[in-house]
Amino acid sequence: EGGDVKIAYNPDAKDGFRLGLMQDFGLDVSDVEEPELDDILYIDCDTEGGIIAGDNPRSVLLAVYEYLRQMGCRWLMPTVDGEYIPVQDVKPVKYRFAPSMRYRGWCNEGAEYQQCMMDAIEFAPKVGMNTFMLEFRIPVSYYRRYYDHLYNEENRKPEPVSNNQVIQWKRQCETEIAKRGLQFHDIGHGWTMDSFGIDSSWRSYDPVDHETEISDDQRQYMALMNGERKLFSKTPNWTNFCMSNPEGQRKFVKYVADYAENHTNSDYLHLWLADGTNNHCECDECKKKTPSDFYMILMNMLDEELTRRGLDTRIVFIVYVDTSWAPKEEMIVNQKRFTLMLAPITRSYTETLPEWGVKAVTVPYQRNKNKMPKDLEEYFAYFNDWKAAGWKGANICYEYHFWRHQYFDISGIEISKLIVEDVKTYNEYGINGIIEDGSQRCFFPTGLLFYTYARTLFDDSLSADEIREDYFSHIFGEGKAELEAYLTELSKVFDIFYLMKRRSLDPSISPFYNPDMAKEFEKVPEIVSRGREVIKKYYNSDVRVQTAAVRLLELHADFATAYAKALYYMALGDDVRAVEEYEKLIDEMGCREAEFEGWYDFNLSVLSLRQIFVTKVSRLPTAQIQDN
């Protein structure tokens, strides 16, 4: 029944449920390196009350959610429709735990609208996460993908949003992050042009030619490529600056320091270079050092300036594309301020580190002629080069399971297994956390994938089977066994190795040519038909989350049927018919987008599946694909 629950600030309280810092309760926190960053959750309660505490304010909130989890609560997807809250008596709990990873995070990506961002931030600590990142100074491209309703204009009229509106929304997200005490990680790309007054929110597909808006004074700082200083792919976000230019270095450092001084709520500023690869300056001075060497010079200059201003802002530098290659001469001096971020964007997502560990050998850096590593083993080899070059500081990973790769796993079951192994591998190799570059709407057909990510970061002793059993038993209830079996059967047909271009019988015909797979896709209508009978059986439930989950599976059944038909023709080498069926899939899901947009990122799905049906899909201009 509840009733009137009294809440009061009383440091001398001896009864009731008492929330506060462990230090204020006289509890030991010496087993973590930095209590501000490393969470400890402490619970010592009977049925009438007790202590729920953490070693920092955020950890107190996480401890409350853990207490409720041990009472049987589960947060399976964002919003109230994703909650499983049992009605039962409380029980005693004694618990003290330091999560496996220091950084347990999520970054905005895909097509986002403001309510989904608010829902995601609210959801994150409920599943034990402690970090949220907002990429870009003005994340206008992510918002416009949704509000312009790209690829779905026939069903939803564009709703333009201005830069000022997006800035407002970003500030609102920052406030929600702060309210929960989450670590706020800020920016990422954009500094390389914003520092010189060139707006990094410009995009190549904007209706104006932004190249004409760049002054001669600004142009002198842009990277020289093929004899010209101009925007790379017409996009500031993809354009580096001439990092050997002394005045350019000073402008860059001043701009970053000014931002840090005016945004002290940013716990970590991510200072990344331009996105894309093989896009660095070719002037004679820049050729004298690798981009990573100049990167380290800039980091040291920035540290000096932040120190001069009395700012303790933490800086994240990124080992990504061209800076995957370690510096040859330079290294960060004050490593306590900095965190290295490994971003293995070109790795395979069908396997983690092989059983033999790291035997891969790195290749020399070649300016603007590099081939990126293709698997996790190679990325760890480059990471080891950074450590050999003198890096001894903190490490974090920027991962991409929830970017395009999620759409190649029809059930979420296969990549969830990979995530468990990946998290354990990163922890073993000295990387103390992950921020996922992924859509805030990655809950289709279920939230198993994200739930697995969050639970494994929190406690990497858990197995994929344990997490899946916990998740499906709560989200499907009595239908757990039959619905899990249905998704598993679908997963076997939609072979993730095939969908990631690993099983073509004749690549000269197509990366997806495989008549044997066509026979598999022919099975899908019958599998889905049986699945619909199970869905019908559990269509209504007294538990709201279980009703919502089954209705989501109903939509997913339509998706799987149409997707399989397109793949059937692709496997036979009939690209034209495959594209026709894929466009039918886009049209059908687009008509119904509003029904399930809180769980499913229609825009990112279109962009992702385009990698399979890329050959003939004229309706998706390349300019809009490149911006991720």
Side-chain angles (χ1 to χ4, degrees):
E1 291 289 340
D4 185 14
V5 178
K6 303 294 185 183
I7 301 174
Y9 174 71
N10 183 1
D12 300 320
K14 302 299 180 186
D15 56 10
F17 288 90
R18 286 155 283 157
L19 277 62
L21 292 176
M22 294 174 66
Q23 295 90 325
D24 291 339
F25 286 114
L27 298 168
D28 180 34
V29 299
S30 62
D31 53 320
V32 294
E33 185 177 347
E34 295 185 65
E36 180 185 354
L37 302 177
D38 299 309
D39 299 317
I40 304 176
L41 284 62
Y42 181 92
I43 306 169
D44 185 2
C45 295
D46 57 25
T47 58
E48 303 302 318
I51 294 174
I52 301 178
D55 63 331
N56 57 57
R58 171 187 65 249
S59 300
V60 181
L61 178 65
L62 298 179
V64 170
Y65 284 132
E66 178 60 29
Y67 174 78
L68 295 172
R69 195 188 74 82
Q70 296 205 23
M71 293 299 111
C73 299
R74 294 293 185 275
W75 293 273
L76 305 166
M77 299 186 292
T79 78
V80 66
D81 282 350
E83 295 180 346
Y84 177 91
I85 311 293
V87 178
Q88 64 184 49
D89 292 334
V90 299
K91 60 185 180 181
V93 176
K94 286 187 180 293
Y95 179 84
R96 187 187 191 282
F97 186 75
S100 300
M101 290 285 208
R102 169 182 284 179
Y103 306 100
R104 308 182 298 281
W106 202 358
C107 182
N108 58 331
E109 171 62 87
E112 61 193 48
Y113 59 96
Q114 185 62 358
Q115 189 57 52
C116 87
M117 291 301 299
M118 303 287 280
D119 293 340
I121 294 166
E122 180 186 40
F123 181 68
K126 291 178 176 179
V127 289
M129 299 177 71
N130 68 351
T131 298
F132 211 99
M133 180 171 176
L134 298 175
E135 189 180 5
F136 301 138
R137 179 177 60 86
I138 310 176
V140 66
S141 57
Y142 293 152
Y143 279 96
R144 284 180 180 164
R145 288 179 192 171
Y146 173 83
Y147 287 100
D148 287 350
H149 300 299
L150 289 174
Y151 320 128
N152 202 19
E153 296 94 332
E154 292 180 4
N155 298 300
R156 309 183 76 174
K157 293 180 180 179
E159 307 168 66
V161 292
S162 67
N163 281 18
N164 283 340
Q165 178 64 77
V166 173
I167 290 172
Q168 275 187 12
W169 282 340
K170 184 181 178 187
R171 297 292 171 262
Q172 187 180 23
C173 288
E174 291 175 20
T175 302
E176 294 300 313
I177 291 168
K179 183 190 297 185
R180 293 161 177 82
L182 302 176
Q183 294 179 24
F184 174 39
H185 291 234
D186 197 11
I187 303 291
H189 296 298
W191 304 102
T192 53
M193 289 294 102
D194 278 337
S195 301
F196 307 99
I198 300 171
D199 190 345
S200 66
S201 70
W202 292 343
R203 292 294 180 262
S204 60
Y205 47 83
D206 291 345
V208 298
D209 181 5
H210 292 300
E211 195 75 49
T212 62
E213 300 180 35
I214 299 171
S215 69
D216 291 341
D217 180 64
Q218 292 170 323
R219 197 172 296 280
Q220 66 176 312
Y221 299 111
M222 300 171 73
L224 179 72
M225 293 190 65
N226 299 317
E228 296 182 285
R229 297 190 187 271
K230 64 179 184 178
L231 295 176
F232 186 84
S233 296
K234 299 183 179 181
T235 305
N237 191 47
W238 284 51
T239 306
N240 278 300
F241 79 104
C242 181
M243 291 197 289
S244 66
N245 184 316
E247 183 59 24
Q249 292 174 346
R250 286 190 288 271
K251 282 180 174 287
F252 181 87
V253 168
K254 182 181 184 303
Y255 183 85
V256 177
D258 286 348
Y259 187 93
E261 191 166 24
N262 292 323
H263 298 79
T264 53
N265 63 311
S266 301
D267 298 307
Y268 287 79
L269 274 187
H270 285 240
L271 197 59
W272 306 351
L273 301 179
D275 207 350
T277 186
N278 293 323
N279 53 0
H280 281 270
C281 187
E282 297 170 345
C283 76
D284 290 341
E285 290 302 310
C286 280
K287 287 179 180 178
K288 292 178 180 179
K289 293 181 181 287
T290 69
S292 293
D293 281 294
F294 281 116
Y295 200 14
M296 296 297 94
I297 290 171
L298 290 168
M299 295 303 100
N300 285 326
M301 291 175 64
L302 176 61
D303 176 58
E304 291 177 6
E305 180 62 18
L306 294 175
T307 301
R308 188 185 69 79
R309 298 190 190 196
L311 297 173
D312 60 1
T313 308
R314 295 181 174 91
I315 302 296
V316 178
F317 68 96
I318 194 167
V319 174
Y320 171 74
V321 293
D322 293 49
T323 59
S324 297
W325 281 263
K328 295 180 178 179
E329 302 170 5
E330 311 287 344
M331 182 46 64
I332 291 172
V333 177
N334 177 21
Q335 299 196 0
K336 288 185 178 180
R337 185 188 292 276
F338 294 88
T339 298
L340 178 151
M341 172 172 271
L342 178 67
I345 190 170
T346 56
R347 62 162 286 195
S348 163
Y349 283 86
T350 56
E351 57 193 358
T352 190
L353 196 66
E355 61 182 16
W356 56 80
V358 179
K359 292 184 178 179
V361 177
T362 59
V363 299
Y365 176 80
Q366 292 185 319
R367 185 171 298 270
N368 296 339
K369 295 180 180 180
N370 294 299
K371 292 184 178 179
M372 294 301 110
K374 65 181 183 301
D375 56 38
L376 207 52
E377 182 185 1
E378 288 185 42
Y379 270 104
F380 273 121
Y382 285 91
F383 175 53
N384 288 340
D385 279 357
W386 271 91
K387 291 191 288 186
W391 175 250
K392 302 183 186 303
N395 306 299
I396 189 172
C397 184
Y398 195 68
E399 260 291 2
Y400 302 86
H401 300 95
F402 303 100
W403 184 38
R404 296 177 177 176
H405 311 287
Q406 61 175 312
Y407 298 103
F408 302 121
D409 184 358
I410 194 73
S411 68
I413 292 173
E414 295 306 314
I415 293 184
S416 70
K417 296 175 185 175
L418 178 76
I419 283 177
V420 172
E421 296 305 314
D422 280 351
V423 171
K424 294 178 179 181
T425 297
Y426 283 127
N427 207 353
E428 180 182 349
Y429 276 77
I431 294 176
N432 197 9
I434 300 173
I435 296 175
E436 283 283 354
D437 173 82
S439 173
Q440 278 58 64
R441 298 182 287 152
C442 51
F443 301 89
F444 185 71
T446 73
L448 172 66
L449 199 57
F450 194 83
Y451 188 81
T452 300
Y453 168 66
R455 290 299 296 153
T456 310
L457 284 178
F458 188 82
D459 182 0
D460 68 4
S461 71
L462 297 170
S463 69
D465 290 342
E466 287 175 306
I467 296 170
R468 187 170 63 253
E469 174 68 25
D470 174 41
Y471 188 84
F472 282 153
S473 65
H474 286 92
I475 203 165
F476 292 144
E478 293 180 357
K480 184 259 179 190
E482 292 171 273
L483 291 170
E484 181 180 0
Y486 161 62
L487 288 174
T488 301
E489 189 174 8
L490 272 183
S491 187
K492 291 178 180 177
V493 172
F494 288 86
D495 183 353
I496 191 170
F497 286 89
Y498 169 77
L499 294 175
M500 291 191 177
K501 304 181 183 180
R502 292 296 187 92
R503 290 185 173 165
S504 173
L505 297 183
D506 189 346
S508 67
I509 297 176
S510 163
F512 298 96
Y513 177 72
N514 190 326
D516 292 338
M517 285 303 305
K519 294 176 183 177
E520 291 296 305
F521 294 127
E522 278 188 304
K523 300 176 183 177
V524 170
E526 193 270 330
I527 294 172
V528 169
S529 178
R530 286 187 277 109
R532 290 188 194 276
E533 291 300 313
V534 180
I535 290 168
K536 183 178 179 181
K537 183 177 177 181
Y538 299 104
Y539 201 61
N540 296 307
S541 170
D542 291 338
V543 180
R544 173 60 188 169
V545 66
Q546 292 171 8
T547 299
V550 171
R551 301 296 169 91
L552 199 54
L553 285 186
E554 184 179 39
L555 278 163
H556 183 260
D558 295 337
F559 175 86
T561 302
Y563 187 18
K565 193 169 184 179
L567 288 171
Y568 168 79
Y569 289 108
M570 185 60 74
L572 291 178
D574 188 346
D575 289 5
V576 174
R577 185 66 188 276
V579 169
E580 289 175 358
E581 296 299 331
Y582 169 57
E583 293 189 344
K584 289 179 184 177
L585 169 65
I586 293 175
D587 292 339
E588 181 175 356
M589 291 298 106
C591 287
R592 305 174 69 182
E593 181 188 5
E595 293 181 52
F596 62 130
E597 66 180 6
W599 318 122
Y600 173 72
D601 192 327
F602 170 81
N603 180 273
L604 187 56
S605 171
V606 171
L607 293 178
S608 302
L609 297 184
R610 183 185 183 278
Q611 293 184 83
I612 297 175
F613 305 100
V614 66
T615 52
K616 307 287 183 181
V617 186
S618 58
R619 67 194 280 177
L620 306 182
T622 302
Q624 295 185 10
I625 300 299
Q626 72 171 12
D627 173 40
N628 49 55

